[in-house]
Amino acid sequence: SAVISQKPSRDICQRGTSLTIQCQVDSQVTMMFWYRQQPGQSLTLIATANQGSEATYESGFVIDKFPISRPNLTFSTLTVSNMSPEDSSIYLCSVVWGGEQYFGPGTRLTVT
Amino acid sequence: KNQVEQSPQSLIILEGKNCTLQCNYTVSPFSNLRWYKQDTGRGPVSLTIMTFSENTKSNGRYTATLDADTKQSSLHITASQLSDSASYICVVPSGGSYIPTFGRGTSLIVHP
């Protein structure tokens, strides 16, 4: 199995500021995924992060708002920029390893 | 359009009782169906993976069924425990795509 850790686990931020979320995996993986889970909603894929190349963003998500770094095969960061209350959500890092999808514990973000 | 619909949206049962959660999907092509358990404040954790040829699969007190003809799956929980209180998410990857389709989940509350 793959074990994923995220930092921070939760944060309360003021609108207009930015927060960077870190994701660490205990195995080397080619692709890492960032999801958003809004209250009462299903998980929505934000982007796919490949090591050594730019992230691929899904419709409705842009790099200026959610810049992603992927410096190596076990680590990635997601930044939520210029936050507004609508960005309040749980952000989850995920990988596929051994044919199974694993999720991190999530980062619960509240924007005031 | 690939879709995964889950019912009921929420469910409250007494400890020790059984319950069944439903998942209908329209994802094509179909490769497998996964049930995840998501505790409050945590990331989803895999309970079971059903492939096209499997009709029933058990994981302890959890039993998943799959009817590929009607595109329906169910998750049956036997002798519920307080620790079963969580959101149960049905996930269906599309064959050939690494981007799965997520249901909104069923929120289960088990009361003593």
Side-chain angles (χ1 to χ4, degrees):
Chain A
S1 65
V3 178
I4 304 173
S5 59
Q6 285 185 234
K7 290 181 182 180
S9 59
R10 59 176 60 221
D11 207 341
I12 300 174
C13 302
Q14 290 190 341
R15 69 172 67 208
T17 62
S18 298
L19 175 71
T20 295
I21 303 168
Q22 299 180 7
C23 175
Q24 180 77 50
V25 189
D26 68 344
S27 303
Q28 292 186 337
V29 292
T30 303
M31 291 189 290
M32 296 178 76
F33 306 93
W34 286 99
Y35 286 88
R36 181 174 71 181
Q37 186 178 29
Q38 294 178 307
Q41 302 296 315
S42 61
L43 280 72
T44 300
L45 181 64
I46 298 172
T48 303
N50 295 317
Q51 193 264 339
S53 64
E54 277 200 5
T56 302
Y57 290 83
E58 297 302 307
S59 175
F61 299 97
V62 295
I63 187 171
D64 290 344
K65 176 67 175 177
F66 297 101
I68 288 171
S69 77
R70 182 79 200 276
N72 57 54
L73 292 174
T74 63
F75 186 80
S76 177
T77 67
L78 169 76
T79 299
V80 185
S81 303
N82 188 25
M83 289 183 284
S84 66
E86 292 71 35
D87 294 320
S88 296
S89 187
I90 297 173
Y91 292 86
L92 294 148
C93 173
S94 176
V95 303
V96 175
W97 194 88
E100 190 159 339
Q101 186 166 14
Y102 295 88
F103 293 88
T107 296
R108 183 179 293 273
L109 171 63
T110 302
V111 183
T112 60
Chain B
K1 180 182 176 182
N2 292 333
Q3 285 188 315
V4 175
E5 301 288 340
Q6 291 188 243
S7 62
Q9 183 176 350
S10 61
L11 183 61
I12 301 174
I13 62 174
L14 292 176
E15 187 178 12
K17 298 297 185 182
N18 304 334
C19 67
T20 300
L21 315 180
Q22 301 289 344
C23 174
N24 297 338
Y25 63 92
T26 58
V27 177
S28 181
F30 176 82
S31 61
N32 61 75
L33 181 146
R34 305 161 185 225
W35 283 95
Y36 284 83
K37 178 186 179 187
Q38 185 176 21
D39 292 313
T40 301
R42 308 296 295 272
V45 175
S46 179
L47 289 175
T48 183
I49 300 175
M50 304 285 290
T51 60
F52 185 86
S53 60
E54 295 176 307
N55 299 119
T56 303
K57 181 177 279 187
S58 293
N59 178 4
R61 294 180 296 102
Y62 301 101
T63 299
T65 66
L66 175 65
D67 186 333
D69 292 331
T70 62
K71 299 186 176 181
Q72 295 179 329
S73 176
S74 66
L75 180 68
H76 186 74
I77 304 174
T78 305
S80 61
Q81 300 176 358
L82 299 179
S83 59
D84 292 331
S85 296
S87 179
Y88 292 83
I89 304 172
C90 179
V91 184
V92 185
S94 176
S97 169
Y98 58 82
I99 302 176
T101 302
F102 291 82
R104 291 190 174 189
T106 292
S107 175
L108 174 65
I109 298 174
V110 180
H111 279 309

